[in-house]
Amino acid sequence: MKSSGTLSPERLLGLGTTAVLLGIVVAPLARLAQQALTPSGGAPTLWHTLSAPVTLNATLNSLVVSAGGTAVAVILGTFYALLLGLTDIRARRALVFLLLLPLMIPPQITALSWSQLMGPSSVLLKTLGLAPPPGSPNPIYSAWGIALLLGLQQTPLVFLALRAGVATLPRDLFEAARCAGADSGRRFVDILLPLSMPGILAGAALSFVSCLDNFGIPALLGAPIGYNVLSTLIYQRLSSFGTSVLTQVAQLSLLAAGLALVGLGAQGLLQRRWRRRLNASSPPLRIVLGQRRLPLEALAWGLLGSLLGVPTLALLAASMVSAYGLPLDAHTITLTHYGTLLADAMIRAAVGHSVLLASLAALIAGLIALPIAYLTAWEKSHLTRILAGLSDLPFALPGAIVAVAAILLLLKPLPLLGFSLYGTLWIILYAYLLRFLTLAIKPVVSGLAQADPALNEAARACGAGLGMRLRTIVWPLASPLLLGSAIMIFLMAINELTVSALLWSSGSETLGVMIYNLEDGGSTGAAAALSIATLAGILLLLAALQALARRLPVGSLPWS
C-alpha cells in the first residue's frame, strides 16, 4: 500500500478488508483442517476414516461418475463449441442460450425430469403407449445414469472454456495446411485438435470438480439403489448422531478437497504441455458449411431438444396427472399439485428464503469486492491480493466442504454476541458468501487492473479523500462489472442445493431443499409441479435479463 500513515483511510480500508477476508475465507477453511487433522475425544484418525470400506467405495464411485460425466461434457461441449465458434451455423445466439440453460437449472430438477422420462411409471411414456412393462427397472437409477446427467449438467462449462479460444483461431494456419495438401481430417487432427486442447482441458477440469461437487443428481438417483458418492456420504454422516460425526465429515471433506485439487493440478500440468503461441495477425478461421449446414443444424437442435426438451415434457406430464403412474388423459389431468404449492406455507417460505439469500449474497459480495478490487488493482496491496486469491479455493472445492467448514466455525455461540448461527438462515448466507465471493472479486479486479489509475492519483493529488475517489472514480468504472457478477451469483445461489442440503433446518428450507424433500418423501407430483414452477421462474428471469441486455454492460450475460 502506498500510503505510509498508520491510520490513513487506505490503511483502515486495508485492515477492514483483511478482517473480512480472514473471517469469511480463511477462518472456516483453517477450522476444517484443524478438525480433520487433530481428532479428539475418541474420534477416528484421518487414516482410519479414509481407509474404511464405505469411504473407499464412495471415493471409487465418485471417481467413476465424475470421470464418466466429464467424458460426456467434453464430447458435447466440444461439439457445440466447434460448431458455434468456427462455422456459419444460423440462430447461434438461441443455441448458446439453450446450451447454457443446464447451468441455470438446479441439478435435482434435472434428475427428477429424467427419472420421470424413463422407467415403467413414466406418465409421458404411458400416455404415448411406450412405457416399459411394469416391474422393469428405471435405467436412469444407475451409475451410468448419474454420469450421463452429471455430464449434461456440466456441458456448458466445457463449451464456455473452449468457445472463446476456437473463435479466434487464425485462418492462415489452416490455409497453409490446405495448400500443402492436407485434407479436412488431417487438418482437424494435426492443427485444430492440438490448438483446442488447452480449452478442452480447462473445461474438463472444471467439469470434473463440478461433478465431484454435485449432490442433487447422485442423491436422487443413487440413494434408491444404495450408490453412494462422497457428497452423499457426507450428507448421511452429518444426518447421523454421535460425538465423532463432525470429525468424520471434516476428514471426508478433506478427502474430497484433495481429489478436486488433484484434478485441477493435473489440468494445469497438461495445459502447460499443450500451450501454443499463435500469431493472431490473420483473420479468425470461419468454415462455410455449404450443403452440410442443414444436417448439422438439425443435429444441433435435435440433440438439445432430446436432452432438454423431452425430459421437461415428462416432468410437466408428471406434474399434471392426478395420481403418479397413470397416463395423462382427459380423466386424469389436473392442476391440483400446483394448487398445493400455493396453499403450502412452507413452500412459499422456501421460495422467499431462496430469493432473499440469493439477493443478499449478490449484494454483500459486491460490497466486499469493490474495496478489495481497489486495494488490489490500484493500491497494490500484496496482503489483500493474497487473501483475495484464497477466495478462489471455496469455489473450486466441492460445496460439501464449504458447508462443513461453515458448520465447524459457526456451531458454537459467536464471541461477545453469545448466540449461534447454526440452524438459522444466516449460516446458509455465510456459506453462499464463502462459496461465491470470488465471482464478484475476480471480474472487478481484472477490470480495474486494465483501467488507468492516473485518475485516482490525480484526484488524490488534488486533495480528494478516499470516499470521494471511491464514489466518483472507482464506482462508475466498477459498477457494470459488479452488476454482471451479481447476476451470476444470484442465478447460482438460487439454484444451489449441496450447501443448502447440509445446512438447512426446520424453518430455513430453501427452494432446492424443498424439491429434494418432496421427492424424497414420495410427493412426486408436488415435486414435479414445484420443479416446473421453478423452471418457469428461471426462464422468466432470463427473459427479463435478455430484454434488458442492451442496457447492461457487454459481457454481463453469459449467453450474449
Side-chain angles (χ1 to χ4, degrees):
M1 202 174 300
K2 291 180 178 179
S3 177
S4 59
T6 53
L7 290 176
S8 68
E10 284 81 1
R11 186 170 292 274
L12 286 174
L13 186 66
L15 290 173
T17 54
T18 299
V20 168
L21 287 171
L22 285 173
I24 292 181
V25 178
V26 178
L29 298 180
R31 180 71 184 87
L32 176 75
Q34 182 210 7
Q35 184 78 28
L37 298 175
T38 58
S40 59
T45 63
L46 179 63
W47 172 250
H48 185 269
T49 298
L50 299 192
S51 61
V54 66
T55 305
L56 295 176
N57 188 49
T59 304
L60 179 62
N61 291 343
S62 290
L63 292 175
V64 168
V65 296
S66 297
T70 300
V72 173
V74 166
I75 292 170
L76 290 175
T78 302
F79 168 71
Y80 279 102
L82 296 181
L83 190 67
L84 295 174
L86 292 177
T87 72
D88 60 343
I89 193 168
R90 293 169 289 191
R92 194 182 309 266
R93 181 170 294 186
L95 280 169
V96 172
F97 180 82
L98 288 177
L99 261 175
L100 297 186
L101 268 186
L103 272 185
M104 318 294 177
I105 298 174
Q108 63 274 22
I109 293 182
T110 302
L112 194 57
S113 62
W114 278 81
S115 68
Q116 297 306 315
L117 173 63
M118 309 181 78
S121 299
S122 168
V123 177
L124 181 65
L125 294 184
K126 281 196 168 186
T127 304
L128 299 174
L130 300 174
S136 304
N138 189 332
I140 206 68
Y141 290 101
S142 61
W144 75 262
I146 297 172
L148 173 67
L149 299 200
L150 288 176
L152 297 181
Q153 194 86 27
Q154 311 310 331
T155 292
L157 295 179
V158 179
F159 171 77
L160 289 173
L162 183 56
R163 183 182 64 155
V166 298
T168 56
L169 288 178
R171 190 173 61 191
D172 55 0
L173 281 176
F174 297 85
E175 293 293 341
R178 187 165 57 183
C179 292
D183 58 20
S184 57
R186 195 74 183 170
R187 294 198 296 274
F188 176 82
V189 172
D190 290 346
I191 301 178
L192 183 56
L193 195 56
L195 292 178
S196 303
M197 282 308 289
I200 294 174
L201 290 171
L206 289 173
S207 171
F208 181 78
V209 173
S210 297
C211 289
L212 278 177
D213 165 50
N214 199 291
F215 171 77
I217 292 173
L220 282 176
L221 302 185
I225 57 171
Y227 192 88
N228 266 329
V229 296
L230 280 175
S231 61
T232 55
L233 182 61
I234 291 172
Y235 177 77
Q236 289 177 4
R237 286 284 185 273
L238 208 53
S239 303
S240 62
F241 298 96
T243 55
S244 63
V245 165
L246 287 178
T247 300
Q248 287 184 47
V249 296
Q251 291 166 341
L252 291 172
S253 299
L254 214 57
L255 173 61
L259 293 176
L261 292 176
V262 167
L264 292 173
Q267 172 246 332
L269 291 174
L270 289 170
Q271 262 192 314
R272 212 169 293 150
R273 179 182 173 188
W274 286 93
R275 188 170 295 158
R276 301 285 188 276
R277 288 187 178 279
L278 295 175
N279 178 10
S281 58
S282 72
L285 175 68
R286 288 292 175 267
I287 300 173
V288 178
L289 293 172
Q291 293 182 340
R292 293 170 295 175
R293 186 163 73 173
L294 191 57
L296 282 172
E297 286 176 342
L299 177 62
W301 284 100
L303 261 178
L304 285 179
S306 304
L307 298 175
L308 296 177
V310 177
T312 303
L313 284 178
L315 192 63
L316 180 63
S319 73
M320 298 180 69
V321 72
S322 56
Y324 183 59
L326 294 176
L328 192 65
D329 56 34
H331 301 290
T332 60
I333 191 167
T334 178
L335 295 177
T336 302
H337 299 307
Y338 290 93
T340 304
L341 300 185
L342 295 175
D344 194 318
M346 188 179 291
I347 292 177
R348 293 202 305 273
V351 174
H353 292 159
S354 285
V355 173
L356 175 67
L357 289 172
S359 303
L360 287 177
L363 176 65
I364 297 174
L367 292 176
I368 296 173
L370 185 66
I372 290 174
Y374 170 75
L375 291 170
T376 303
W378 283 4
E379 294 293 336
K380 308 299 181 188
S381 170
H382 299 301
L383 179 60
T384 305
R385 188 174 67 247
I386 292 170
L387 292 175
L390 285 177
S391 68
D392 292 349
L393 203 55
F395 187 69
L397 296 176
I401 299 170
V402 172
V404 173
I407 292 171
L408 290 169
L409 187 69
L410 300 177
L411 184 62
K412 293 181 179 177
L414 296 171
L416 302 179
L417 299 177
F419 60 85
S420 170
L421 294 182
Y422 182 69
T424 70
L425 204 59
W426 310 119
I427 192 173
I428 302 177
L429 175 62
Y430 177 85
Y432 283 0
L433 284 175
L434 173 58
R435 187 148 173 75
F436 301 129
L437 183 59
T438 189
L439 294 179
I441 293 176
K442 272 195 168 305
V444 188
V445 169
S446 176
L448 287 186
Q450 295 175 22
D452 188 353
L455 275 176
N456 181 53
E457 296 300 330
R460 193 203 311 260
C462 292
L466 177 63
M468 178 174 284
R469 281 181 277 130
L470 286 175
R471 191 173 64 253
T472 58
I473 299 175
V474 179
W475 172 253
L477 290 172
S479 55
L481 303 164
L482 286 170
L483 178 60
S485 303
I487 292 171
M488 184 56 70
I489 291 175
F490 182 88
L491 288 172
M492 297 194 76
I494 207 162
N495 292 335
E496 209 286 329
L497 176 63
T498 307
V499 169
S500 310
L502 293 170
L503 296 178
W504 77 278
S505 59
S506 179
S508 64
E509 296 88 351
T510 63
L511 190 54
V513 170
M514 279 308 303
I515 294 173
Y516 175 75
N517 287 349
L518 285 171
E519 173 64 13
D520 195 45
S523 302
T524 300
L530 184 55
S531 300
I532 289 294
T534 303
L535 282 178
I538 291 171
L539 289 175
L540 281 176
L541 177 61
L542 295 179
L545 290 173
Q546 181 60 40
L548 294 172
R550 291 185 179 179
R551 299 184 181 183
L552 297 177
V554 176
S556 298
L557 303 180
W559 58 88
S560 62

